[in-house]
Amino acid sequence: MTDQNLFNMKPLRLLTISTCLAILTGCAASLKQTQRTDMLQPNSLSALNGTYENTGITKSNGTYNTLWYHLNSIGQKDTTSLPNATITLLALDNEKIRATWKTNGNTSKTIEIKGKFKDGYFVSNAKRTAIPIPLIYGAFKNIQFQLSLNQDNSLHLDQLHNEWGWVFLFLANNDTSTANNYKKVKEQ
């Protein structure tokens, strides 16, 4: 084994090592907290408490970039753009936010989002999935978002959503990371 190098390794061992490295490096991507000059620096997560518009940008495939979509339904088709819909955020502690979707004043859905409050940002826990089948198929997905407040008290959302994988030896990736602002319509 003293004379063994990378090119003399058995194919299965080389594939196993390559797969492990791909998993470790592919899942390492996360949101970078860039310091913005237009951002407020709140001391606690409760600064995000309030009601925000759920408006989004209509895309060509009939989906929207609504706040609810980013908080809850990443990776699914978003058809929740209703003109009177709002999202109410309530900090439960420094590691959890409750988001409530309301239409015409009626509560439709509620979710709790776990994450951490750090440097003026609430960073959600990452949702990562990996399906590695050596030589045949592999898929890796990484989803995460962070919330902050702009100087005008609107909510700023940065979202990381990247996927990559392979079928046999053909590689492909998709990165749909975005940044959106949502107007605050009511203090909590």
Side-chain angles (χ1 to χ4, degrees):
M1 201 142 172
T2 58
D3 228 357
Q4 193 172 20
N5 63 27
L6 185 62
F7 298 109
N8 292 333
M9 291 181 104
K10 294 185 179 185
L12 186 57
R13 182 179 285 170
L14 179 62
L15 182 63
T16 303
I17 291 170
S18 300
T19 302
C20 289
L21 286 173
I23 290 171
L24 293 175
T25 58
C27 293
S30 63
L31 284 168
K32 305 279 188 268
Q33 289 188 353
T34 57
Q35 289 299 323
R36 299 182 359 246
T37 56
D38 63 337
M39 183 180 128
L40 292 176
Q41 291 289 331
N43 294 329
S44 71
L45 188 56
S46 62
L48 297 176
N49 288 357
T51 302
Y52 300 89
E53 290 180 346
N54 193 42
T55 56
I57 300 166
T58 304
K59 296 182 182 179
S60 60
N61 63 358
T63 63
Y64 307 96
N65 252 348
T66 63
L67 178 56
W68 186 257
Y69 169 71
H70 290 296
L71 297 176
N72 183 50
S73 307
I74 298 290
Q76 301 173 19
K77 188 169 183 174
D78 178 24
T79 57
T80 59
S81 183
L82 300 173
N84 298 326
T86 58
I87 305 298
T88 301
L89 299 180
L90 178 64
L92 302 176
D93 56 34
N94 267 353
E95 295 184 352
K96 199 182 303 180
I97 291 178
R98 177 178 296 135
T100 306
W101 178 24
K102 294 182 180 180
T103 307
N104 297 325
N106 299 322
T107 300
S108 298
K109 300 174 185 175
T110 300
I111 57 168
E112 289 185 3
I113 305 158
K114 294 180 182 177
K116 295 207 182 319
F117 183 73
K118 180 181 175 186
D119 298 330
Y121 290 93
F122 174 75
V123 182
S124 71
N125 292 343
K127 297 176 186 174
R128 295 184 174 120
T129 56
I131 306 170
I133 302 172
L135 290 177
I136 300 171
Y137 176 80
F140 301 93
K141 188 183 224 180
N142 187 26
I143 301 167
Q144 190 174 23
F145 66 86
Q146 65 187 16
L147 302 172
S148 61
L149 287 176
N150 293 327
Q151 292 288 341
D152 64 356
N153 217 20
S154 63
L155 185 70
H156 182 84
L157 183 139
D158 294 305
Q159 176 239 337
L160 170 75
H161 180 195
N162 57 29
E163 302 176 55
W164 65 276
W166 71 87
V167 176
F168 298 108
L169 297 176
F170 300 101
L171 296 173
N173 74 342
N174 182 26
D175 186 352
T176 56
S177 300
T178 61
N180 298 299
N181 291 310
Y182 300 95
K183 184 179 176 185
K184 185 181 270 189
V185 292
K186 185 174 135 186
E187 291 289 332
Q188 194 62 17

